[in-house]
Amino acid sequence: MNVPDRNMALELVRATEAAAMSAGRWMGRGDKNAVDRAAVNAMRYMLNTVSMDGVVVIGEGEKDQAPMLFNGEKLGLGCEPKVDIAVDPVDGTTLTALGRPNAVSVVAVAESGTLYSPKHIFYMNKIATGPEAGDVIDIELSATENIKRVAKAKRKAVEDVTVVVLDRPRHEELIGEIRSLGARIKLIPDGDVAGALMTCKEDSGVDLLLGIGGSPEAVISACAIKCIGGNFQCKLWPRNEEERVRCLELGMDVDKVLYIDDLVRSDNVFFAATGVTDGELLKGVRYGGEAIFTHSLVMRSKSGTVRYVEAIHKSRKLYEISGVDYRTSQI
């Protein structure tokens, strides 16, 4: 029997827990920048304690726009293994600031050079579903055809299918098509990483994700779905002619379908997520004086293991060993 190599996801979850505990202090206080700042600072601190030589491939902002975790930033102790990192300290900063559900902190890691970089393209058209219907979806088909295929694969009526869609004006036509078919719609204000993952969770009640969302979230969602099972496809969605021309200059085909193996060219992917606010996927952070309670999802594609981790953190002890004060909102 071969000795199993280490599951980095069990270390990454410490970073998502830290980000969630810090960001959760700002729930409902109306300051999305404070949510982001708290999460970024805590996540950066914890990721720099991991034994890895990591580079952020999917992050936010540029170096001069701190406190964002920026593309190209190096994280970890600088030792093997060399890895690509995809991060979203809080997928749903506005959700958190307004006290709304389904905000999560997420991190994904894979071997160096295996994560797709969307470069200057901020949005992608996406479709995602769980294992039962993973083989039947096709982003080049209509929403109507995909819903019918998913219904057949899951042995349910079209009217029983629930589609999650970001609530945006650009989706007016898509929403109209779904409604005309008679399928159910779950409109979400933000947080399409959680939305994509809901399609893979049996008891979530969500069958399919459709529509245009952030390209960093697309790569992170692909990492997660590669671990948990299911299917994810997308296409680049330039916002204007300038972005389209830049794609042509860089050799990026806006008509090409990007499959899950194009987005994550690795079979050894590590993923961790911690709930910031309560949602269908994970429970949010709870504060109980000296104790802080978190709920996390930890996955590895190579083993197929999916863990749900409920943790109790002692804020005073964490402050003594880390310098991150989870007892207050000032990070």
Side-chain angles (χ1 to χ4, degrees):
M1 182 180 294
N2 293 328
V3 177
D5 53 2
R6 97 184 202 260
N7 187 344
M8 292 182 66
L10 295 172
E11 301 167 62
L12 299 176
V13 74
R14 295 170 60 231
T16 57
E17 288 172 343
M21 287 190 289
S22 293
R25 291 288 186 188
W26 292 91
M27 188 181 81
R29 295 173 63 182
D31 190 341
K32 60 178 290 188
N33 291 330
V35 172
D36 224 354
R37 180 172 61 250
V40 166
N41 290 346
M43 178 172 278
R44 176 180 283 121
Y45 178 90
M46 293 307 301
L47 288 178
N48 276 325
T49 70
V50 178
S51 295
M52 64 179 179
D53 184 0
V55 176
V56 176
V57 175
I58 301 297
E60 299 178 276
E62 302 295 337
K63 189 172 183 179
D64 60 352
Q65 294 178 325
M68 312 302 276
L69 285 162
F70 59 89
N71 291 344
E73 181 173 353
K74 286 186 170 292
L75 295 171
L77 294 174
C79 54
E80 294 291 336
K82 290 182 178 293
V83 296
D84 286 347
I85 304 173
V87 297
D88 198 339
V90 178
D91 179 37
T93 52
T94 300
L95 297 178
T96 306
L98 297 178
R100 292 175 177 167
N102 288 317
V104 294
S105 174
V106 293
V107 131
V109 161
E111 292 102 327
S112 179
T114 61
L115 294 188
Y116 179 84
S117 174
K119 299 183 174 67
H120 66 294
I121 294 296
F122 293 98
Y123 291 97
M124 290 184 180
N125 191 18
K126 313 173 190 179
I127 184 170
T129 192
E132 288 181 90
D135 293 336
V136 302
I137 61 169
D138 186 340
I139 197 170
E140 297 200 285
L141 298 177
S142 66
T144 296
E145 181 60 27
N146 275 299
I147 292 168
K148 288 180 177 179
R149 288 183 171 206
V150 168
K152 183 177 180 180
K154 301 186 85 167
R155 299 179 181 178
K156 58 168 64 176
V158 165
E159 292 79 7
D160 295 333
V161 172
T162 300
V163 185
V164 64
V165 180
L166 276 171
D167 190 4
R168 298 288 188 274
R170 62 178 176 264
H171 289 145
E172 183 178 346
E173 185 176 331
L174 171 63
I175 291 167
E177 181 179 354
I178 298 170
R179 285 174 175 166
S180 68
L181 188 63
R184 289 154 40 97
I185 303 176
K186 181 179 179 64
L187 289 174
I188 57 173
D190 286 294
D192 62 343
V193 172
L197 276 171
M198 283 180 212
T199 68
C200 302
K201 194 170 186 286
E202 288 184 9
D203 60 353
S204 72
V206 174
D207 302 291
L208 186 66
L209 174 140
L210 290 172
I212 297 156
S215 54
E217 290 83 355
V219 178
I220 293 171
S221 298
C223 289
I225 291 176
K226 196 151 197 181
C227 292
I228 204 170
N231 196 3
F232 185 91
Q233 301 170 13
C234 60
K235 296 176 77 171
L236 300 173
W237 193 77
R239 293 175 296 178
N240 50 46
E241 188 61 25
E242 181 181 347
E243 286 191 355
R244 182 178 293 274
V245 170
R246 183 61 177 151
C247 283
L248 294 174
E249 292 173 349
L250 294 173
M252 301 170 72
D253 187 351
V254 297
D255 296 317
K256 179 183 177 181
V257 176
L258 296 170
Y259 297 98
I260 195 165
D261 287 333
D262 296 315
L263 298 171
V264 192
R265 301 186 308 276
S266 171
D267 292 321
N268 197 18
V269 183
F270 305 91
F271 179 89
T274 300
V276 181
T277 61
D278 283 338
E280 289 92 336
L281 183 65
L282 293 165
K283 291 181 289 188
V285 183
R286 286 166 169 75
Y287 301 91
E290 277 297 302
I292 305 175
F293 304 85
T294 59
H295 187 212
S296 302
L297 173 63
V298 181
M299 303 186 290
R300 184 187 187 186
S301 64
K302 188 174 183 179
S303 64
T305 303
V306 177
R307 291 180 173 91
Y308 285 93
V309 179
E310 293 191 348
I312 303 171
H313 310 265
K314 301 298 184 181
S315 57
R316 185 176 299 278
K317 289 188 174 183
L318 288 176
Y319 174 65
E320 289 171 354
I321 63 175
S322 72
V324 179
D325 194 352
Y326 301 105
R327 301 169 298 174
T328 72
S329 59
Q330 304 301 320
I331 303 298

